[in-house]
Amino acid sequence: MKNINHLSIIDSKFNVDYSNGEIKGKNVINAKKYLKDLPNIFGDEEAFSKIDEDALIYEVQAILPVDEGLEGGLFYGKTIVHPGKVGDEYYMTKGHFHQKIGRAEFYWGIDGEGMLLLMDQDRNTWAEKMIPGSLHYIDGFIAHRTVNTGVKPLSFGACWPSDAGHNYQEIMDNGFSARLEEVHGKPKLIAS
Ligand code: PA5
Ligand code: MN
């Protein structure tokens, strides 16, 4: 840590609003993903083409206190996945393996309802329910994606190693081996 004065007592550099996970502080990164940013993610191409391409699907905030790629640091983030569906498939994040594939991550539910979709390298896919207070340890070598299965925004926190990186290509090319769809009013994993 730089610029620390011995015996000084200072305010925290960041604050979190625990009702929705919003991060406040300097140099907080904000990113928004619209439907048009997510080609080849959803299964139903016809339904995809009928939705406004400017529909906001998810928003990410992140604090990167050290350089990306540094070994030993940590990053902190918050994601909001908005409610909605493309056909029968719920709004979700792109999903990724980590670039350094063995790196793990924590997610925790803050508000709303959803699922954490997980897939191992043998393409076995399963889901963990996300609710306010749920805590999810995502082991290394596991691809992860979050899905809003509820009617209000799903917000969750995340903490991951600064040298984990994001590998989106594998999921862009091959997807997950199952999709989370609404069947008779309930979320169901359907092999794809
Ligand atoms: O680092 C993470 O795993 C999260 O902060 C995600 O990046 C975030 O939820 C957005 O998902 P994705 O990176 O798959 O678009
Ligand atoms: Mn991750």
PDB file of all heavy atoms in Angstrom, residues 3 12-15 23-30 61-65 76:
ATOM      1  N   ASN A   3       1.449   5.583   0.132  1.00  0.00           N
ATOM      2  CA  ASN A   3       0.952   6.809   0.771  1.00  0.00           C
ATOM      3  C   ASN A   3       0.257   6.574   2.107  1.00  0.00           C
ATOM      4  O   ASN A   3      -0.807   7.106   2.374  1.00  0.00           O
ATOM      5  CB  ASN A   3      -0.019   7.561  -0.156  1.00  0.00           C
ATOM      6  CG  ASN A   3       0.605   7.830  -1.502  1.00  0.00           C
ATOM      7  OD1 ASN A   3       1.800   8.146  -1.566  1.00  0.00           O
ATOM      8  ND2 ASN A   3      -0.163   7.709  -2.555  1.00  0.00           N
ATOM      9  N   SER A  12     -12.675   4.466   5.137  1.00  0.00           N
ATOM     10  CA  SER A  12     -12.547   3.380   4.156  1.00  0.00           C
ATOM     11  C   SER A  12     -12.565   3.986   2.750  1.00  0.00           C
ATOM     12  O   SER A  12     -13.203   5.014   2.519  1.00  0.00           O
ATOM     13  CB  SER A  12     -13.692   2.373   4.313  1.00  0.00           C
ATOM     14  OG  SER A  12     -14.926   2.996   4.065  1.00  0.00           O
ATOM     15  N   LYS A  13     -11.884   3.331   1.839  1.00  0.00           N
ATOM     16  CA  LYS A  13     -11.791   3.886   0.474  1.00  0.00           C
ATOM     17  C   LYS A  13     -13.045   3.606  -0.337  1.00  0.00           C
ATOM     18  O   LYS A  13     -13.343   4.285  -1.304  1.00  0.00           O
ATOM     19  CB  LYS A  13     -10.584   3.297  -0.237  1.00  0.00           C
ATOM     20  CG  LYS A  13      -9.269   3.713   0.427  1.00  0.00           C
ATOM     21  CD  LYS A  13      -8.100   3.570  -0.522  1.00  0.00           C
ATOM     22  CE  LYS A  13      -6.842   4.200   0.012  1.00  0.00           C
ATOM     23  NZ  LYS A  13      -6.396   3.663   1.301  1.00  0.00           N
ATOM     24  N   PHE A  14     -13.762   2.561   0.060  1.00  0.00           N
ATOM     25  CA  PHE A  14     -14.981   2.176  -0.659  1.00  0.00           C
ATOM     26  C   PHE A  14     -16.078   1.876   0.344  1.00  0.00           C
ATOM     27  O   PHE A  14     -15.802   1.502   1.480  1.00  0.00           O
ATOM     28  CB  PHE A  14     -14.724   0.918  -1.515  1.00  0.00           C
ATOM     29  CG  PHE A  14     -13.570   1.071  -2.460  1.00  0.00           C
ATOM     30  CD1 PHE A  14     -12.324   0.548  -2.141  1.00  0.00           C
ATOM     31  CD2 PHE A  14     -13.711   1.749  -3.661  1.00  0.00           C
ATOM     32  CE1 PHE A  14     -11.245   0.699  -3.001  1.00  0.00           C
ATOM     33  CE2 PHE A  14     -12.647   1.897  -4.523  1.00  0.00           C
ATOM     34  CZ  PHE A  14     -11.403   1.379  -4.194  1.00  0.00           C
ATOM     35  N   ASN A  15     -17.316   2.030  -0.099  1.00  0.00           N
ATOM     36  CA  ASN A  15     -18.465   1.661   0.720  1.00  0.00           C
ATOM     37  C   ASN A  15     -19.430   0.857  -0.131  1.00  0.00           C
ATOM     38  O   ASN A  15     -19.515   1.063  -1.338  1.00  0.00           O
ATOM     39  CB  ASN A  15     -19.162   2.910   1.274  1.00  0.00           C
ATOM     40  CG  ASN A  15     -18.306   3.565   2.353  1.00  0.00           C
ATOM     41  OD1 ASN A  15     -18.197   3.059   3.463  1.00  0.00           O
ATOM     42  ND2 ASN A  15     -17.683   4.669   2.007  1.00  0.00           N
ATOM     43  N   ILE A  23     -21.488  -0.290  -5.156  1.00  0.00           N
ATOM     44  CA  ILE A  23     -20.173   0.088  -4.626  1.00  0.00           C
ATOM     45  C   ILE A  23     -19.976   1.572  -4.859  1.00  0.00           C
ATOM     46  O   ILE A  23     -20.201   2.083  -5.966  1.00  0.00           O
ATOM     47  CB  ILE A  23     -19.034  -0.683  -5.342  1.00  0.00           C
ATOM     48  CG1 ILE A  23     -19.282  -2.190  -5.308  1.00  0.00           C
ATOM     49  CG2 ILE A  23     -17.692  -0.353  -4.708  1.00  0.00           C
ATOM     50  CD1 ILE A  23     -18.381  -2.978  -6.264  1.00  0.00           C
ATOM     51  N   LYS A  24     -19.546   2.276  -3.798  1.00  0.00           N
ATOM     52  CA  LYS A  24     -19.250   3.702  -3.950  1.00  0.00           C
ATOM     53  C   LYS A  24     -17.800   3.949  -3.580  1.00  0.00           C
ATOM     54  O   LYS A  24     -17.289   3.370  -2.629  1.00  0.00           O
ATOM     55  CB  LYS A  24     -20.174   4.527  -3.055  1.00  0.00           C
ATOM     56  CG  LYS A  24     -21.595   4.525  -3.584  1.00  0.00           C
ATOM     57  CD  LYS A  24     -22.559   5.225  -2.673  1.00  0.00           C
ATOM     58  CE  LYS A  24     -23.968   5.008  -3.191  1.00  0.00           C
ATOM     59  NZ  LYS A  24     -24.957   5.022  -2.131  1.00  0.00           N
ATOM     60  N   GLY A  25     -17.150   4.801  -4.349  1.00  0.00           N
ATOM     61  CA  GLY A  25     -15.744   5.119  -4.079  1.00  0.00           C
ATOM     62  C   GLY A  25     -15.079   5.562  -5.356  1.00  0.00           C
ATOM     63  O   GLY A  25     -15.724   5.626  -6.412  1.00  0.00           O
ATOM     64  N   LYS A  26     -13.790   5.847  -5.243  1.00  0.00           N
ATOM     65  CA  LYS A  26     -13.048   6.333  -6.412  1.00  0.00           C
ATOM     66  C   LYS A  26     -12.678   5.182  -7.327  1.00  0.00           C
ATOM     67  O   LYS A  26     -12.356   4.095  -6.861  1.00  0.00           O
ATOM     68  CB  LYS A  26     -11.747   6.983  -5.924  1.00  0.00           C
ATOM     69  CG  LYS A  26     -11.796   8.480  -5.879  1.00  0.00           C
ATOM     70  CD  LYS A  26     -10.366   8.992  -5.811  1.00  0.00           C
ATOM     71  CE  LYS A  26     -10.344  10.352  -5.169  1.00  0.00           C
ATOM     72  NZ  LYS A  26      -8.986  10.735  -4.780  1.00  0.00           N
ATOM     73  N   ASN A  27     -12.640   5.462  -8.619  1.00  0.00           N
ATOM     74  CA  ASN A  27     -12.187   4.492  -9.618  1.00  0.00           C
ATOM     75  C   ASN A  27     -12.992   3.200  -9.635  1.00  0.00           C
ATOM     76  O   ASN A  27     -12.443   2.130  -9.866  1.00  0.00           O
ATOM     77  CB  ASN A  27     -10.703   4.145  -9.417  1.00  0.00           C
ATOM     78  CG  ASN A  27      -9.829   5.377  -9.473  1.00  0.00           C
ATOM     79  OD1 ASN A  27     -10.094   6.292 -10.252  1.00  0.00           O
ATOM     80  ND2 ASN A  27      -8.802   5.422  -8.642  1.00  0.00           N
ATOM     81  N   VAL A  28     -14.267   3.311  -9.340  1.00  0.00           N
ATOM     82  CA  VAL A  28     -15.138   2.135  -9.489  1.00  0.00           C
ATOM     83  C   VAL A  28     -15.487   2.021 -10.976  1.00  0.00           C
ATOM     84  O   VAL A  28     -15.926   2.991 -11.598  1.00  0.00           O
ATOM     85  CB  VAL A  28     -16.420   2.267  -8.642  1.00  0.00           C
ATOM     86  CG1 VAL A  28     -17.335   1.063  -8.869  1.00  0.00           C
ATOM     87  CG2 VAL A  28     -16.076   2.409  -7.162  1.00  0.00           C
ATOM     88  N   ILE A  29     -15.242   0.846 -11.539  1.00  0.00           N
ATOM     89  CA  ILE A  29     -15.522   0.627 -12.968  1.00  0.00           C
ATOM     90  C   ILE A  29     -16.990   0.232 -13.131  1.00  0.00           C
ATOM     91  O   ILE A  29     -17.516  -0.570 -12.342  1.00  0.00           O
ATOM     92  CB  ILE A  29     -14.604  -0.488 -13.498  1.00  0.00           C
ATOM     93  CG1 ILE A  29     -13.162   0.026 -13.528  1.00  0.00           C
ATOM     94  CG2 ILE A  29     -15.035  -0.966 -14.871  1.00  0.00           C
ATOM     95  CD1 ILE A  29     -12.139  -1.030 -13.756  1.00  0.00           C
ATOM     96  N   ASN A  30     -17.649   0.822 -14.107  1.00  0.00           N
ATOM     97  CA  ASN A  30     -19.055   0.505 -14.386  1.00  0.00           C
ATOM     98  C   ASN A  30     -19.180   0.034 -15.827  1.00  0.00           C
ATOM     99  O   ASN A  30     -18.691   0.700 -16.735  1.00  0.00           O
ATOM    100  CB  ASN A  30     -19.927   1.762 -14.225  1.00  0.00           C
ATOM    101  CG  ASN A  30     -20.055   2.156 -12.773  1.00  0.00           C
ATOM    102  OD1 ASN A  30     -20.851   1.585 -12.041  1.00  0.00           O
ATOM    103  ND2 ASN A  30     -19.244   3.113 -12.345  1.00  0.00           N
ATOM    104  N   GLN A  61     -20.223  -3.646 -11.676  1.00  0.00           N
ATOM    105  CA  GLN A  61     -19.310  -2.670 -11.060  1.00  0.00           C
ATOM    106  C   GLN A  61     -18.106  -3.451 -10.552  1.00  0.00           C
ATOM    107  O   GLN A  61     -18.274  -4.585 -10.077  1.00  0.00           O
ATOM    108  CB  GLN A  61     -19.952  -2.030  -9.841  1.00  0.00           C
ATOM    109  CG  GLN A  61     -20.965  -0.955 -10.119  1.00  0.00           C
ATOM    110  CD  GLN A  61     -21.275  -0.213  -8.829  1.00  0.00           C
ATOM    111  OE1 GLN A  61     -21.636  -0.827  -7.832  1.00  0.00           O
ATOM    112  NE2 GLN A  61     -21.113   1.093  -8.845  1.00  0.00           N
ATOM    113  N   ALA A  62     -16.930  -2.875 -10.625  1.00  0.00           N
ATOM    114  CA  ALA A  62     -15.751  -3.585 -10.123  1.00  0.00           C
ATOM    115  C   ALA A  62     -14.732  -2.615  -9.550  1.00  0.00           C
ATOM    116  O   ALA A  62     -14.617  -1.472 -10.013  1.00  0.00           O
ATOM    117  CB  ALA A  62     -15.121  -4.408 -11.239  1.00  0.00           C
ATOM    118  N   ILE A  63     -14.021  -3.090  -8.551  1.00  0.00           N
ATOM    119  CA  ILE A  63     -12.867  -2.360  -8.004  1.00  0.00           C
ATOM    120  C   ILE A  63     -11.645  -3.201  -8.300  1.00  0.00           C
ATOM    121  O   ILE A  63     -11.594  -4.381  -7.930  1.00  0.00           O
ATOM    122  CB  ILE A  63     -12.946  -2.235  -6.464  1.00  0.00           C
ATOM    123  CG1 ILE A  63     -14.264  -1.666  -6.000  1.00  0.00           C
ATOM    124  CG2 ILE A  63     -11.793  -1.410  -5.946  1.00  0.00           C
ATOM    125  CD1 ILE A  63     -14.397  -1.751  -4.472  1.00  0.00           C
ATOM    126  N   LEU A  64     -10.666  -2.607  -8.979  1.00  0.00           N
ATOM    127  CA  LEU A  64      -9.417  -3.304  -9.310  1.00  0.00           C
ATOM    128  C   LEU A  64      -8.285  -2.555  -8.605  1.00  0.00           C
ATOM    129  O   LEU A  64      -7.662  -1.673  -9.203  1.00  0.00           O
ATOM    130  CB  LEU A  64      -9.189  -3.325 -10.828  1.00  0.00           C
ATOM    131  CG  LEU A  64     -10.384  -3.690 -11.737  1.00  0.00           C
ATOM    132  CD1 LEU A  64      -9.965  -3.706 -13.207  1.00  0.00           C
ATOM    133  CD2 LEU A  64     -10.991  -5.033 -11.366  1.00  0.00           C
ATOM    134  N   PRO A  65      -8.032  -2.856  -7.337  1.00  0.00           N
ATOM    135  CA  PRO A  65      -7.053  -2.052  -6.575  1.00  0.00           C
ATOM    136  C   PRO A  65      -5.615  -2.264  -7.028  1.00  0.00           C
ATOM    137  O   PRO A  65      -4.748  -1.456  -6.707  1.00  0.00           O
ATOM    138  CB  PRO A  65      -7.216  -2.533  -5.126  1.00  0.00           C
ATOM    139  CG  PRO A  65      -8.370  -3.480  -5.118  1.00  0.00           C
ATOM    140  CD  PRO A  65      -8.623  -3.917  -6.519  1.00  0.00           C
ATOM    141  N   TYR A  76     -12.912  -7.031  -6.559  1.00  0.00           N
ATOM    142  CA  TYR A  76     -14.235  -7.098  -5.932  1.00  0.00           C
ATOM    143  C   TYR A  76     -15.246  -6.539  -6.917  1.00  0.00           C
ATOM    144  O   TYR A  76     -14.983  -5.529  -7.578  1.00  0.00           O
ATOM    145  CB  TYR A  76     -14.205  -6.233  -4.664  1.00  0.00           C
ATOM    146  CG  TYR A  76     -15.500  -6.182  -3.897  1.00  0.00           C
ATOM    147  CD1 TYR A  76     -15.703  -7.004  -2.784  1.00  0.00           C
ATOM    148  CD2 TYR A  76     -16.515  -5.311  -4.261  1.00  0.00           C
ATOM    149  CE1 TYR A  76     -16.896  -6.951  -2.069  1.00  0.00           C
ATOM    150  CE2 TYR A  76     -17.708  -5.258  -3.555  1.00  0.00           C
ATOM    151  CZ  TYR A  76     -17.881  -6.078  -2.459  1.00  0.00           C
ATOM    152  OH  TYR A  76     -19.054  -6.028  -1.761  1.00  0.00           O
TER     153      TYR A  76
END
